[in-house]
Amino acid sequence: MSSYLLIETCLTGDSHAVHNFLDLAIQLSEDNHAVDLFLIQNGVLLARIDGEPRLSALIRKPNVSVQVDDFSLLSHFLKSSDLIPGVKVAGMSTLVKMLTQPNYKPIWH
């Protein structure tokens, strides 16, 4: 089992590749890999309650953690109560710590 850090910066309307990226996260979790999905910039909009359905499915998986960047959240005038239950708010320091952990495989989109 490997640990993956997937970082999403786009919204599904920005790029069709976002669907593929979320599908990758789902596939990795189904293959029993640990997946941390970190949403920044426009990517935080995926985590809205009325946002991306794939994210709702992904967050229910036991080996998946979804976090949104606090600054990006504020930049889009969102609060933690606007997010899908289970999504955590974190700062860039959390992302940096995750990026520097050994044996983590980061993928940035």
Side-chain angles (χ1 to χ4, degrees), residues 6-8 12 18-19 26-27 34 40 50 63-64 66 71 73 76-77 81 84-85 87 91-92 97 99 107-108:
L6 281 72
I7 303 164
E8 180 57 69
T12 49
V18 175
H19 290 289
I26 291 169
Q27 186 60 52
I40 61 173
D50 61 345
N63 53 340
V64 173
V66 178
F71 181 76
L73 199 65
H76 287 86
F77 303 102
S81 60
I84 297 167
V87 172
M92 275 295 155
K97 285 178 188 172
L99 280 168
I107 305 171
W108 197 304

Side-chain angles (χ1 to χ4, degrees), residues 22-92:
L22 294 175
D23 287 343
L24 172 64
I26 291 169
Q27 186 60 52
L28 288 169
S29 71
E30 288 174 354
D31 291 342
N32 293 320
H33 297 290
V35 177
D36 287 307
L37 178 63
F38 200 93
L39 305 173
I40 61 173
Q41 298 172 334
N42 285 347
V44 299
L45 298 172
L46 298 170
R48 292 178 308 187
I49 290 173
D50 61 345
E52 174 57 43
R54 282 178 181 87
L55 192 60
S56 296
L58 185 62
I59 202 161
R60 289 192 295 269
K61 303 217 176 268
N63 53 340
V64 173
S65 170
V66 178
Q67 299 178 36
V68 297
D69 170 50
D70 56 357
F71 181 76
S72 299
L73 199 65
L74 290 172
S75 297
H76 287 86
F77 303 102
L78 295 171
K79 308 177 294 258
S80 58
S81 60
D82 297 323
L83 303 176
I84 297 167
V87 172
K88 299 176 182 98
V89 178
M92 275 295 155

